[in-house]
Amino acid sequence: MIRRNICRLLVSNIDTLYCKRHFTNREKLIHSLIENAVDRSKIINSRREWGNVRQTILNHEQNRKHYTMDNIDALILGFCTTRKEYELGFSYLQFLKDENIKPNLATIGKYFKLLYHCNEKYYFIEKKKNPEDEEYILKCYQDLRSDYPILDSLSLENTILGVSMTHEWKKCLDFMEEIKITTIPNNISYSAIISAAFLNNEEELGWQLLEEMFRNGRNPGSVIFLTYLSNIGKMKNTAYGAEKLERLFTFFHENDFKCDKEVADAISSLYKKLDNHSSFTQVSYKGVCNNCHLKLNNYEVGQEEFDDLKKKLFKNVIIGRDLFVKTNPAELRKFQNFINDMDCFDVVLDGLNIAYSAGTKHSPQVLSAMVAAVVSFFVNQKKKVLVLGRIHMNRWPKEHWGYVTNTCSVFLTQNISQDDPYLLYCALHSGKDTIIVTRDLMRGHKFLLKYPKDKILFNRWLSQRQFQLLRINEEGKPIFRIPPSFTSVSQKNDDIWHIPYENETQVDKNDFHKSWLCLKCR
Amino acid sequence: MLSLKHNCRFIANKISEAVNGRQPVLSETLGRQISLLNHPLKKLFSSNVEGSPTLANHNNSPGGNTETETNYDAITNGDKTLETKLKIIMLEAEVLRQEGKAVPESSFVTEEQWKEILNLTTRTARKKYFEYLFKLSKRLENVQVKKEQKRLEFEEIKRRKTEENKGEETIEDHALKYDLQHNNIFLRFYDTTINQMYNNRLIQAIQFGQKLVVDCGYDGNMTKRENQSCAKQLMLIFAENRLHDEPFDVHFCNVHRDSELIKQLHKFIPTMNEPWFPLNLHENSYLNIFPKDQLVYLTPHCREELKEFDHDTVYIIGGIVDKVNNDPLSLAKAKREGLRMAKLPLDRYLQWGSGSGKSLTLNQVGSILLDVKRYGNWEKALRHVPRRKLVDFGAAGGVRKPWDRDGGARQWRPAANVDFGNLSFNNGGRKNDNDARRTVNVNIRSLYEE
């Protein structure tokens, strides 16, 4: 009783609490208002309190027609869902019902979304079905459909979330097609339908959709894999289960996918249940698993894929839509001549990237000294070195630059041309074992490759061959970040699977991947 | 948190009531626009596609507001699949609005704009476009409100004046007014007179002034919206040039008459194509009009700075607004045509703040060139760069001296962990230990010799 009173007091005081702040963001006002109501009192059950909140927001002096009768319901429901206050969301729905406020299309969509978020664990993973509830969801859907024979992508995405949790989940496939008229379905609706396919033992369909999802550049949610794993957990035949796990890991391997901690936990407990050995482990820099002491593999890019990548890079990145944007024909010809009688180099250096790695505000003397220091490091190891840069580097003082031009090959582009594409091409052309020295992660160039598979390939190649200059120590010796000699991808080493997973405890993103799951069959 | 059972029951009860009690109500909650959508759509999905009878239904539908009705055929040219897509997108806009996103009223969106929206491929692009339209609608709304306010104020003043003047004018007041029945001995300056003066100046510039080329050949590289803002900037270039003491002879080159850009420009300057109008429009390239060695293409992507303004050169401004595509198109063009290039000395004279970028509008570039031609002073000319883009625009005016390239605030910092203090050129006094210098110096040298 006392809590009630306080809560009511607070709700009526919202106005005075928040009128001083200035709200620039459209979402902010509603968020802070509801947040206030929610945080101070976990009970906004009575109709009056919700009515208060609703009226306060609508009549707020900061509300300049942002929150109207049209959008307030969907916004409040959406807020409850994102804050995971599902009970609160349902109490709001109850309020809408009591007040006889008709939900609009967006509100219904938000309702499906709330339902999905609240129940996905129970339905997909714990596999608790309730035919009665399913009927209601379907009825709600049919009602919607009879009012709107054509639905938009946003509502359809939300409808998928609802209907995927019923026995008529296959309807979602049609919804998908409808969505594709105007856009690509989002992550969560893809995840819902794939989980539904796995749940209902339509595995092939699930895998197909998963492939399609990757092709469309969407990221799968962990609910998919949790559903799949709990399916296996229910199976009596352990040999069959092992086969299914194998397929999952192969999928991870092929798509360069790292699951999150939740999925890793599920895999681990499933393995233990199947009387196998599983443990969370760390991998050393040399690629040795701390648990089983096996060395992880280094998956090199195959020659064919490599040539394909080279071709695509030339076409998409160097030439692009207009040759003149990044270079010019004379330069390209010069470059092609250079490539044709080029030897294979052991190391390809991004001259300007190295020179500027301590900032651009240094004298040419310092800049050239840095390049010279890196060059001499490799030359001392009897490596053949190529330096790429721009013509203005010729104006650098001869003391250091002369050394560079004397000891290794140099290809300089026009000052107004881009040297990165040439650098990449040279490194690819020179062979699979060539080291590329730059700190640039080449994301912009990777983007131009378009297809996800090509991007994976490019990434794998770069992450294996790229040395990043960290600093030059007091003796003038360069210190590099050298890539580890194994690939951070799910892999099978002598019948032991190693699965990398995303771990929040790994702070340094630049460090090599350390969190692994080591899975050993009996 | 909650068990499935609890939730589902809870919801179930609610939905059942919603389903049983409120079925017809659902559609009413959406705008009228959407309830209008329903009839033809039903047909589309029930395999029986018939266009015309449903259209008749529209007018009879209850509450149907014929004013907001959209002419689908005009937008889609009668293409049925496009029409379906359009309807889906319209519903999408409605749902976005109900979710509290920035979407204008559907009556605000014109047919042309719907066509534009149909061409957008992703939902994010559509959302952005809706947001743009929403802001536009709000701006127009505010203009209307202000107009109304002004009108009321004006009427109030008028009313008060007539009230004050109701009393008879005294003979003293009458005598104090120095006029001949409110006439004046001076001739009145009409707008046309001033206009003619400006045009006269412009025509003098055409005869004797320095040429300035605006390259309008990029219309194909710009989206419709970019084309529209580009046209506005071209109009402003013309206007600001005309008002200047010492105008340029502006030539718009590579003009494609039927492009969106020129159509829009024609809307801004209706007399553009009249023979007497002091603006040069060429469908030709500037290469055919001016000697090539006089041309300098102004492009921000090149490395050459325009240090001295040359009064004999014909400068070219690339008429492009690049909000979407940031490729250096003007650089590519100048390279292809083998022209000299230069960029404005923006970094030399100004200290730029972070965030808003260094891009300038065409009319700002035009104004800078006009002022540097007139005054020969870059500091003065660069006042046309928006102050918000500059650091500390309050105190120092954001202008700095050419020799003070780091803004004076920053000290020279050595490379990370590297002691380059040993190198002979540097005696910045960071370390006075001569011996230490020499040893490290030897170290770097010894590396080469090994």
Side-chain angles (χ1 to χ4, degrees):
Chain A
M1 195 56 210
I2 299 168
R3 246 183 108 188
R4 266 295 155 82
N5 282 337
I6 294 172
C7 148
R8 199 169 299 160
L9 236 169
L10 283 167
V11 171
S12 57
N13 275 345
I14 290 174
D15 230 357
T16 48
L17 274 169
Y18 280 92
C19 60
K20 278 176 196 160
R21 280 204 221 156
H22 182 67
F23 296 100
T24 44
N25 193 333
R26 281 169 66 80
E27 308 271 311
K28 255 186 193 163
L29 171 65
I30 193 168
H31 281 201
S32 47
L33 286 175
I34 306 176
E35 219 169 314
N36 195 36
V38 171
D39 289 347
R40 302 291 172 96
S41 58
K42 280 282 176 190
I43 32 164
I44 318 184
N45 283 328
S46 78
R47 185 198 288 193
R48 180 161 168 199
E49 280 152 18
W50 265 126
N52 256 345
V53 171
R54 200 161 178 263
Q55 279 310 314
T56 317
I57 295 167
L58 285 174
N59 299 334
H60 199 279
E61 59 177 34
Q62 302 276 356
N63 176 18
R64 297 194 191 89
K65 294 187 202 161
H66 287 169
Y67 309 104
T68 59
M69 294 297 273
D70 264 351
N71 63 24
I72 186 96
D73 301 332
L75 278 168
I76 290 181
L77 265 188
F79 175 82
C80 294
T81 313
T82 44
R83 283 287 302 266
K84 299 202 168 118
E85 302 276 3
Y86 303 128
E87 198 179 351
L88 207 65
F90 289 119
S91 87
Y92 188 71
L93 283 168
Q94 179 70 45
F95 158 76
L96 288 183
K97 200 200 81 181
D98 292 346
E99 289 281 297
N100 244 343
I101 298 168
K102 320 121 193 171
N104 59 21
L105 196 49
T107 314
I108 295 169
K110 292 282 179 197
Y111 159 68
F112 278 132
K113 199 169 183 177
L114 175 68
L115 208 60
Y116 175 79
H117 277 288
C118 176
N119 288 321
E120 70 174 349
K121 285 243 155 61
Y122 297 99
Y123 187 78
F124 289 119
I125 298 155
E126 295 174 16
K127 310 202 188 307
K128 290 179 181 157
K129 292 190 183 180
N130 188 340
E132 235 175 284
D133 301 334
E134 287 184 16
E135 274 317 305
Y136 284 120
I137 294 177
L138 284 174
K139 209 162 185 188
C140 196
Y141 157 69
Q142 272 153 14
D143 211 43
L144 189 69
R145 198 89 248 203
S146 67
D147 278 343
Y148 303 98
I150 270 192
L151 279 170
D152 64 287
S153 58
L154 291 155
S155 309
L156 279 169
E157 276 169 0
N158 289 329
T159 315
I160 286 179
L161 300 185
V163 177
S164 67
M165 294 196 292
T166 67
H167 62 271
E168 291 203 38
W169 63 276
K170 278 213 162 175
K171 277 191 176 154
C172 296
L173 292 173
D174 302 334
F175 302 161
M176 283 277 197
E177 292 309 313
E178 270 185 77
I179 293 174
K180 280 176 197 160
I181 298 173
T182 50
T183 187
I184 296 170
N186 61 1
N187 289 342
I188 178 171
S189 50
Y190 257 121
S191 299
I193 187 170
I194 294 170
S195 306
F198 282 144
L199 181 74
N200 295 294
N201 293 321
E202 294 254 6
E203 279 193 12
E204 280 317 307
L205 180 68
W207 287 116
Q208 250 172 40
L209 284 168
L210 208 48
E211 292 281 344
E212 181 190 308
M213 186 177 189
F214 268 100
R215 264 203 310 282
N216 287 335
R218 295 279 183 251
N219 290 322
S222 54
V223 65
I224 298 173
F225 306 113
L226 293 173
T227 310
Y228 186 75
L229 290 168
S230 73
N231 268 359
I232 301 173
K234 288 256 155 70
M235 265 178 230
K236 298 244 162 59
N237 185 349
T238 49
Y240 192 48
E243 206 174 285
K244 298 223 155 184
L245 275 173
E246 193 91 3
R247 172 145 196 200
L248 179 69
F249 298 155
T250 317
F251 177 83
F252 283 171
H253 174 78
E254 276 167 5
N255 290 289
D256 212 0
F257 181 78
K258 289 189 186 68
C259 58
D260 59 10
K261 183 81 168 66
E262 211 181 341
V263 178
D265 282 337
I267 294 173
S268 173
S269 57
L270 182 63
Y271 244 70
K272 282 180 182 148
K273 210 168 131 198
L274 295 173
D275 268 348
N276 288 325
H277 185 73
S278 137
S279 63
F280 290 96
T281 177
Q282 297 239 321
V283 167
S284 72
Y285 174 72
K286 291 199 167 144
V288 178
C289 169
N290 280 354
N291 185 46
C292 61
H293 304 295
L294 278 177
K295 165 99 177 62
L296 298 193
N297 286 336
N298 194 18
Y299 291 94
E300 301 219 332
V301 180
Q303 191 61 46
E304 224 168 89
E305 296 168 316
F306 195 77
D307 289 339
D308 189 46
L309 189 63
K310 202 167 82 178
K311 236 179 271 164
K312 279 183 178 144
L313 192 90
F314 189 76
K315 201 174 131 239
N316 292 353
V317 182
I318 296 187
I319 295 184
R321 262 186 306 183
D322 182 1
L323 183 65
F324 284 96
V325 169
K326 284 178 181 160
T327 178
N328 62 54
E331 191 170 270
L332 188 70
R333 223 171 299 124
K334 191 181 138 204
F335 177 73
Q336 276 168 329
N337 288 339
F338 175 78
I339 284 288
N340 286 339
D341 31 87
M342 176 179 111
D343 315 327
C344 282
F345 291 100
D346 302 312
V347 185
V348 179
L349 302 181
D350 185 348
L352 284 170
N353 187 279
I354 292 167
Y356 294 146
S357 56
T360 52
K361 300 217 187 287
H362 294 286
S363 70
Q365 201 85 21
V366 176
L367 300 177
S368 56
M370 292 185 57
V371 178
V374 175
V375 167
S376 68
F377 173 79
F378 286 110
V379 169
N380 288 343
Q381 297 176 359
K382 304 267 181 282
K383 304 259 192 195
K384 284 173 83 178
V385 182
L386 168 69
V387 177
L388 273 101
R390 297 206 178 103
I391 282 183
H392 66 78
M393 292 162 89
N394 272 334
R395 291 206 301 258
W396 280 355
K398 281 286 164 290
E399 185 190 0
H400 300 304
W401 184 241
Y403 166 75
V404 173
T405 45
N406 286 340
T407 46
C408 58
S409 308
V410 176
F411 184 85
L412 300 178
T413 63
Q414 294 290 318
N415 290 344
I416 47 174
S417 295
Q418 287 200 9
D419 54 353
D420 291 345
Y422 286 132
L423 175 83
L424 288 171
Y425 190 79
C426 278
L428 283 168
H429 185 79
S430 187
K432 283 203 292 186
D433 298 324
T434 305
I435 293 166
I436 176 168
V437 182
T438 177
R439 290 221 295 203
D440 197 333
L441 294 174
M442 309 283 173
R443 290 192 198 92
H445 305 300
K446 187 172 83 180
F447 173 77
L448 293 173
L449 286 174
K450 282 186 200 149
Y451 297 106
K453 288 270 176 197
D454 289 336
K455 287 180 188 171
I456 291 175
L457 224 58
F458 180 82
N459 231 12
R460 189 170 286 179
W461 167 72
L462 198 64
S463 64
Q464 282 170 5
R465 307 307 325 163
Q466 182 178 28
F467 279 35
Q468 286 171 294
L469 179 69
L470 293 176
R471 60 196 168 84
I472 294 178
N473 71 4
E474 282 75 4
E475 282 98 50
K477 189 182 169 231
I479 311 291
F480 296 106
R481 177 179 296 125
I482 299 171
S485 61
F486 63 95
T487 314
S488 296
V489 66
S490 310
Q491 48 186 291
K492 197 176 195 179
N493 320 86
D494 293 348
D495 275 353
I496 297 180
W497 272 99
H498 284 97
I499 312 289
Y501 63 92
E502 299 286 354
N503 199 343
E504 282 145 16
T505 53
Q506 182 156 0
V507 187
D508 188 3
K509 288 273 173 203
N510 287 319
D511 216 346
F512 65 98
H513 196 87
K514 281 178 181 157
S515 322
W516 291 74
L517 194 58
C518 178
L519 304 168
K520 192 176 183 179
C521 287
R522 258 177 308 172
Chain B
M1 262 190 79
L2 281 174
S3 76
L4 171 84
K5 210 143 201 180
H6 175 96
N7 277 337
C8 273
R9 270 289 134 64
F10 194 69
I11 308 146
N13 289 337
K14 257 172 290 151
I15 308 168
S16 71
E17 274 157 83
V19 166
N20 298 332
R22 260 184 281 132
Q23 195 174 344
V25 159
L26 276 174
S27 61
E28 282 175 31
T29 52
L30 285 181
R32 290 188 191 111
Q33 185 70 33
I34 297 308
S35 60
L36 283 178
L37 286 177
N38 286 334
H39 297 281
L41 301 187
K42 249 175 204 159
K43 298 269 171 183
L44 269 167
F45 268 78
S46 62
S47 74
N48 184 7
V49 185
E50 275 175 271
S52 46
T54 51
L55 276 175
N57 273 350
H58 271 205
N59 298 333
N60 303 335
S61 60
N65 190 345
T66 39
E67 274 178 1
T68 57
E69 198 174 307
T70 322
N71 187 356
Y72 296 118
D73 283 348
I75 300 170
T76 59
N77 290 329
D79 185 341
K80 280 289 165 208
T81 48
L82 259 188
E83 195 176 312
T84 321
K85 195 177 165 187
L86 178 67
K87 282 167 186 168
I88 294 175
I89 289 173
M90 281 175 164
L91 195 61
E92 181 181 289
E94 187 62 39
V95 173
L96 279 172
R97 189 181 307 119
Q98 288 170 3
E99 282 182 359
K101 300 286 186 320
V103 178
E105 292 300 317
S106 43
S107 55
F108 179 79
V109 186
T110 62
E111 281 173 16
E112 281 298 308
Q113 283 159 345
W114 280 122
K115 267 188 203 170
E116 181 73 12
I117 292 165
L118 264 180
N119 285 335
L120 299 172
T121 46
T122 63
R123 192 159 67 191
T124 330
R126 289 195 288 270
K127 265 190 202 166
K128 274 188 188 161
Y129 192 73
F130 281 133
E131 201 176 317
Y132 157 74
L133 289 179
F134 177 78
K135 282 178 182 164
L136 198 67
S137 74
K138 286 289 156 195
R139 212 180 63 207
L140 293 179
E141 217 170 80
N142 284 339
V143 167
Q144 283 302 319
V145 169
K146 269 185 193 155
K147 247 188 190 169
E148 184 60 23
Q149 258 176 5
K150 269 200 175 162
R151 194 183 60 81
L152 287 176
E153 267 171 35
F154 178 71
E155 271 176 10
E156 173 71 20
I157 289 168
K158 214 169 139 190
R159 193 180 51 82
R160 216 182 293 151
K161 263 193 180 168
T162 48
E163 258 174 29
E164 277 170 10
N165 290 346
K166 258 183 189 166
E168 274 300 310
E169 203 177 23
T170 60
I171 186 80
E172 287 88 356
D173 281 339
H174 183 73
L176 278 173
K177 271 182 190 154
Y178 183 75
D179 59 7
L180 304 163
Q181 293 179 334
H182 298 273
N183 284 324
N184 200 305
I185 57 167
F186 296 115
L187 276 176
R188 179 169 174 181
F189 283 122
Y190 290 95
D191 280 352
T192 40
T193 322
I194 297 287
N195 243 337
Q196 274 163 7
M197 183 197 76
Y198 285 140
N199 283 355
N200 179 39
R201 218 152 56 185
L202 210 52
I203 286 174
Q204 277 183 38
I206 289 175
Q207 285 175 291
F208 310 113
Q210 190 178 356
K211 318 284 181 204
L212 178 74
V213 172
V214 180
D215 183 0
C216 301
Y218 295 102
D219 50 87
N221 298 88
M222 292 187 278
T223 63
K224 189 170 173 178
R225 245 168 93 194
E226 287 174 335
N227 265 316
Q228 280 172 349
S229 40
C230 188
K232 187 164 192 176
Q233 292 176 17
L234 290 182
M235 182 265 286
L236 287 172
I237 278 197
F238 173 78
E240 281 164 14
N241 182 54
R242 202 177 72 130
L243 296 183
H244 200 264
D245 295 348
E246 222 178 77
F248 278 108
D249 173 20
V250 178
H251 293 258
F252 288 178
C253 291
N254 291 327
V255 165
H256 304 134
R257 293 269 174 191
D258 49 354
S259 65
E260 182 62 38
L261 178 71
I262 300 303
K263 274 185 200 156
Q264 190 66 31
L265 184 64
H266 193 237
K267 273 186 200 164
F268 287 127
I269 315 178
T271 50
M272 183 175 84
N273 292 324
E274 302 287 332
W276 56 265
F277 194 76
L279 173 66
N280 305 298
L281 287 171
H282 306 279
E283 275 148 42
N284 267 334
S285 167
Y286 38 80
L287 292 171
N288 304 337
I289 304 168
F290 303 105
K292 195 171 174 180
D293 54 337
Q294 268 190 20
L295 292 167
V296 169
Y297 213 116
L298 293 175
T299 163
H301 303 285
C302 71
R303 309 216 165 229
E304 210 54 44
E305 269 187 352
L306 186 65
K307 290 195 185 98
E308 292 269 322
F309 184 83
D310 183 359
H311 293 263
D312 292 327
T313 311
V314 178
Y315 290 104
I316 308 170
I317 304 174
I320 180 166
V321 173
D322 54 349
K323 279 182 182 159
V324 179
N325 176 7
N326 284 319
D327 282 347
L329 294 170
S330 53
L331 176 92
K333 190 163 191 176
K335 247 198 262 178
R336 181 178 306 134
E337 290 170 350
L339 294 173
R340 280 186 293 158
M341 288 176 247
K343 62 176 175 184
L344 296 176
L346 299 175
D347 286 318
R348 183 169 288 266
Y349 289 95
L350 302 173
Q351 189 162 12
W352 293 82
S354 58
S356 63
K358 292 183 185 176
S359 51
L360 299 176
T361 60
L362 299 177
N363 53 310
Q364 282 160 2
V365 176
S367 299
I368 290 171
L369 289 175
L370 278 166
D371 273 5
V372 81
K373 176 166 79 96
R374 173 76 173 80
Y375 303 107
N377 181 349
W378 281 109
E379 267 107 346
K380 187 175 170 74
L382 290 176
R383 73 201 149 101
H384 294 289
V385 176
R387 297 290 100 173
R388 68 184 140 79
K389 288 181 181 264
L390 305 177
V391 159
D392 196 22
F393 50 89
V399 177
R400 61 175 176 168
K401 300 287 178 285
W403 54 84
D404 180 21
R405 295 209 66 168
D406 294 337
R410 266 180 247 161
Q411 294 273 311
W412 183 85
R413 267 185 294 115
N417 287 333
V418 189
D419 190 2
F420 282 114
N422 52 0
L423 298 168
S424 53
F425 69 94
N426 179 20
N427 43 18
R430 283 191 313 108
K431 265 194 180 178
N432 288 324
D433 191 346
N434 268 325
D435 290 338
R437 257 189 221 172
R438 198 161 298 130
T439 48
V440 187
N441 206 354
V442 168
N443 270 333
I444 280 203
R445 273 163 192 283
S446 62
L447 282 170
Y448 310 155
E449 283 147 19
E450 265 172 34

